[in-house]
Amino acid sequence: MSKVKILTGAGIIAAGSLFSGIKTPDFGLVFPSFAKTGTTITPTDTTKIFPQALDTIETLSKRKALKVYHRFEEIPAISDKEAILYNKNEYTYIINADKYQKNGTIELKRVLKKELTKANTLSLIYRSECATYTPKAEEDQLVKYEIDLKLINPTGKFKGPSQMNDIGVLFFIKYLAANPKTRQYVLPLLKTKDGTKTEDVAKRLEQKFFTPESKIRNMDEREAVIASPVYQNLRLKDNAWQLLASKNLKRFIAKEEAKRHKTLTNTTKNYLLLTELFPSEQEFQNSLEEYNLAFFPLARPGKPKVVMQTLAQGLNLKNKEGNLDATRLPTFAIAASLSHINWQGNGLKALLDVKRKGRFITSQDKIQQRLRSIVKAWVCGKSKTYGVDELAKLNIITPDIIRQYQKIELPGAEELAFNYQKEVIKAEQNLERKKMLAKAKEAPSETLMLRTIDFKTR
């Protein structure tokens, strides 16, 4: 009997034993808060994927990113065979927003991270206040702004890319003091009302905002802290900027004051100083985004989660468990509600609008068109067109958007994150099985394979 080049017996045994012991992959996009639920996922029938695993990968090659995409149907998918060539940090999974918003179904697509838009629920906040520009071909067409952390509006009242007034800046600094990751940057700006050591008060504030496991407490718990003595005890040093600002920053402040023919407030100057105390602009921006999502709405009526909950009730949007699901609303509407409360100080107008006008949206087909006209009244400036209209082109739900929905505490966000995680795990398990079969195929092929027919009596 001649030797044949086929999958070896050793390879088949190895692959079989690996299938029986396969574990849930440690994939970066899995939300760790859901790991403790112990979700059981039924392995895919290996006979269905076995022929695919035997396909050669010699003709495949890693694909370079072409451009940034915003439509689910347009962004190229990475197949299971192609995914073998990539590291897990090079790709991610996205959800078809059209299908999800229509019936709650999660349809995943594996895509290159470099080809995925960075547009999200914070896009509208920055859109009107930051400098716009024409992006290059490989840049994100929906993210058309350059963030200026030192931005100050013409009156000098509002500062930063999300345009905070003095009260907002003080709240932001207190959040940074409560957060152990950023506390070191703001302690030089703070003092206490009763003379207690600033760091000790900041640590007590941390306990009220975060759990012992460093997880953020729910919004209702954090909102109650605003009126507490420990929160009120932290004060801003008026002269901190004079002592700590660089010569360049002091020249910048003088220039801004001359431009307006007025003196900027000490709080404004301390905010500008804060941009120097952080080790990088990106770290500062990340902290500002966290604040805008999870802390800015505290103690403010008409929170984005309340506005979207009311709208979802009017449209009868629910998940498979029958619970109210505001994540099935278009991302541009959720983003507009967040921008509205940021700019107006409360979301009462948005809440009134959805109560009065939301009931006139009578069909799924009219949600996009009708909602766009409603939410444009919540934003200002360029955001009416370049924010709402352009974000309406996005029909992709990204992992970043899901995380932001969770930060806002949008009704249905936890369920969406959990169900997304389950689908990602399934996709990754299938991929791991195919990788193992591909490796088994590459094993030495000179091993003798005996068949039943070889033992038959001649």
Side-chain angles (χ1 to χ4, degrees):
M1 184 178 65
S2 61
K3 297 177 182 178
V4 291
K5 279 198 172 186
I6 59 176
L7 184 65
T8 68
I12 293 176
I13 293 172
S17 62
L18 285 169
F19 283 137
S20 64
I22 190 170
K23 297 180 180 179
T24 300
D26 181 17
F27 191 63
L29 292 174
V30 173
F31 293 86
S33 59
F34 294 92
K36 61 184 179 182
T37 57
T39 302
T40 301
I41 299 175
T42 304
T44 304
D45 182 359
T46 57
T47 59
K48 294 179 181 179
I49 64 171
F50 192 82
Q52 295 176 350
L54 293 180
D55 290 342
T56 179
I57 63 171
E58 294 176 357
T59 58
L60 298 176
S61 60
K62 291 182 69 172
R63 182 172 57 81
K64 291 184 178 180
L66 300 176
K67 66 173 188 176
V68 175
Y69 294 87
H70 310 100
R71 301 291 301 175
F72 185 88
E73 63 274 14
E74 294 176 358
I75 186 167
I78 300 176
S79 68
D80 287 344
K81 289 188 293 183
E82 293 171 322
I84 295 174
L85 305 174
Y86 295 90
N87 294 324
K88 288 183 179 180
N89 61 359
E90 294 180 286
Y91 64 80
T92 188
Y93 291 87
I94 59 174
I95 295 175
N96 183 340
D98 288 340
K99 183 174 289 188
Y100 179 71
Q101 290 163 11
K102 185 175 182 179
N103 55 29
T105 300
I106 293 181
E107 177 187 349
L108 286 188
K109 181 183 281 191
R110 186 190 295 118
V111 299
L112 285 178
K113 286 183 178 180
K114 289 184 178 180
E115 292 186 328
L116 184 59
T117 179
K118 291 181 174 61
N120 54 46
T121 58
L122 287 170
S123 296
L124 294 188
I125 288 181
Y126 300 127
R127 182 78 62 169
S128 283
E129 308 301 340
C130 296
T132 58
Y133 72 106
T134 302
K136 299 176 183 177
E138 69 275 10
E139 291 180 320
D140 196 331
Q141 303 296 306
L142 289 190
V143 183
K144 297 181 180 178
Y145 50 77
E146 292 179 338
I147 290 183
D148 179 7
L149 298 179
K150 291 184 172 66
L151 181 70
I152 307 175
N153 82 325
T155 68
K157 183 178 180 181
F158 300 99
K159 37 267 176 187
S162 58
Q163 292 292 274
M164 296 177 287
N165 61 12
D166 281 0
I167 296 175
V169 169
L170 181 57
F171 281 16
F172 176 45
I173 290 175
K174 287 187 178 183
Y175 153 68
L176 296 174
N179 189 335
K181 296 179 181 178
T182 54
R183 182 178 301 140
Q184 59 182 313
Y185 309 134
V186 297
L187 284 181
L189 305 179
L190 292 168
K191 61 182 180 180
T192 59
K193 180 180 178 181
D194 62 5
T196 309
K197 189 177 179 180
T198 307
E199 187 170 3
D200 293 340
V201 176
K203 288 180 179 179
R204 291 204 295 272
L205 189 59
E206 174 189 348
Q207 295 171 1
K208 293 181 177 295
F209 279 160
F210 299 90
T211 68
E213 295 78 27
S214 298
K215 293 182 180 179
I216 190 170
R217 297 187 186 276
N218 66 59
M219 194 171 289
D220 290 340
E221 287 184 76
R222 284 177 282 129
E223 187 165 66
V225 179
I226 302 299
S228 69
V230 66
Y231 189 86
Q232 298 295 330
N233 197 10
L234 284 177
R235 302 292 179 90
L236 199 60
K237 291 179 182 176
D238 289 339
N239 66 338
W241 69 274
Q242 293 177 322
L243 301 174
L244 300 172
S246 67
K247 291 181 179 179
N248 286 338
L249 180 58
K250 288 180 178 178
R251 281 194 292 265
F252 175 83
I253 290 173
K255 182 180 177 182
E256 292 295 311
E257 289 181 330
K259 185 192 305 182
R260 294 169 177 78
H261 304 289
K262 64 184 296 186
T263 301
L264 298 176
T265 66
N266 285 322
T267 301
T268 299
K269 295 172 185 177
N270 278 326
Y271 167 79
L272 295 172
L273 170 62
L274 190 59
T275 65
E276 286 195 335
L277 296 180
F278 268 75
S280 70
E281 287 193 358
Q282 186 59 55
E283 190 169 347
F284 185 96
Q285 184 182 332
N286 291 342
S287 296
L288 184 60
E289 291 181 350
E290 168 80 11
Y291 169 74
N292 275 301
L293 288 167
F295 285 85
F296 185 84
L298 294 182
R300 298 173 187 270
K303 293 178 177 59
K305 68 172 184 177
V306 176
V307 174
M308 293 296 100
Q309 176 181 334
T310 304
L311 183 57
Q313 285 174 332
L315 299 175
N316 196 32
L317 295 178
K318 298 180 179 180
N319 57 25
K320 294 180 180 179
E321 289 74 34
N323 299 319
L324 198 66
D325 191 356
T327 66
R328 289 180 56 194
L329 291 166
T331 300
F332 71 81
I334 299 167
S337 70
L338 191 68
S339 293
H340 179 66
I341 193 173
N342 183 282
W343 286 326
Q344 302 300 323
N346 65 71
L348 294 181
K349 173 178 170 47
L351 187 59
L352 183 62
D353 281 349
V354 298
K355 287 180 178 178
R356 287 180 175 178
K357 303 174 183 178
R359 65 179 184 273
F360 295 109
I361 305 176
T362 56
S363 69
Q364 186 72 30
D365 297 335
K366 295 181 180 179
I367 286 182
Q368 288 271 345
Q369 180 181 357
R370 182 62 179 154
L371 272 185
R372 206 184 309 184
S373 65
I374 292 175
V375 305
K376 277 188 178 183
W378 304 348
V379 298
C380 61
K382 297 185 290 292
S383 284
K384 292 184 185 296
T385 299
Y386 296 114
V388 175
D389 284 344
E390 291 193 7
L391 201 55
K393 299 174 184 176
L394 182 69
N395 72 337
I396 292 170
I397 298 176
T398 66
D400 186 38
I401 288 176
I402 295 175
R403 283 189 286 267
Q404 291 191 348
Y405 286 177
Q406 289 177 288
K407 295 287 186 183
I408 301 169
E409 295 189 3
L410 206 63
E414 295 299 312
E415 289 81 5
L416 171 59
F418 178 64
N419 292 329
Y420 169 83
Q421 178 197 26
K422 287 198 299 183
E423 295 304 315
V424 167
I425 289 174
K426 289 180 183 178
E428 282 294 299
Q429 283 183 325
N430 281 341
L431 178 58
E432 289 300 320
R433 293 187 186 96
K434 292 178 182 182
K435 283 182 179 180
M436 283 184 269
L437 284 170
K439 289 179 180 178
K441 177 191 173 185
E442 295 172 357
S445 57
E446 298 302 315
T447 303
L448 181 64
M449 175 68 72
L450 298 178
R451 301 165 297 172
T452 306
I453 191 173
D454 296 314
F455 294 93
K456 288 185 177 180
T457 304
R458 296 280 191 258

